[in-house]
Amino acid sequence: MTVQELIDSGSFQIINVGEDTDRAITVPFCCDLLSIAMGRAPAGCAWVTVMGNMNTLAVATLADAACIIMAEGTALDDIAMKKAKDQEITVLATELPVFDAALKVYQGLHG
């Protein structure tokens, strides 16, 4: 499943559509501790988190995440929103809990 296919699924609200929406998502990844995410997020992951600040975007870039999914109704703060637009990072959102959001991604990957 690509980032665009995830967007088209309608499972998540669109916060920002970035570049490379044809990129394949490898796996969902759940983590809210940025230092762990920086070292353990797999390249190409759909990172599900509740952390909506500028550092989240920096870690997503360093970890080479395919997209970020803001779970549990959380949102990017204003500075992070500007950075997502400037750096063309795809950010989606949902009211679902972190696990349920990651499960939706997993089900999209594995039918």
Side-chain angles (χ1 to χ4, degrees):
M1 173 172 59
T2 66
V3 173
Q4 187 62 54
E5 289 169 335
L6 182 62
I7 292 168
D8 293 343
S9 75
S11 297
F12 301 102
Q13 301 165 337
I14 300 167
I15 303 302
N16 189 65
V17 176
E19 63 184 1
D20 202 13
T21 57
D22 290 336
R23 184 168 183 195
I25 295 172
T26 57
V27 66
F29 176 76
C30 304
C31 186
D32 293 321
L33 189 55
L34 297 178
S35 60
I36 290 181
M38 190 168 17
R40 296 188 183 170
C45 69
W47 180 16
V48 185
T49 185
V50 297
M51 301 294 294
N53 61 42
M54 185 172 65
N55 293 332
T56 302
L57 299 172
V59 170
T61 301
L62 286 171
D64 197 25
C67 64
I68 299 169
I69 300 171
M70 303 299 303
E72 304 199 26
T74 59
L76 295 177
D77 63 31
D78 292 340
I79 294 169
M81 185 62 177
K82 182 180 181 328
K83 183 171 181 151
K85 288 180 181 181
D86 290 347
Q87 294 190 349
E88 298 187 36
I89 298 170
T90 298
V91 181
L92 307 175
T94 184
E95 295 291 326
L96 292 172
V98 171
F99 175 83
D100 294 337
L103 183 59
K104 277 208 172 285
V105 174
Y106 180 87
Q107 289 169 334
L109 289 169
H110 299 285

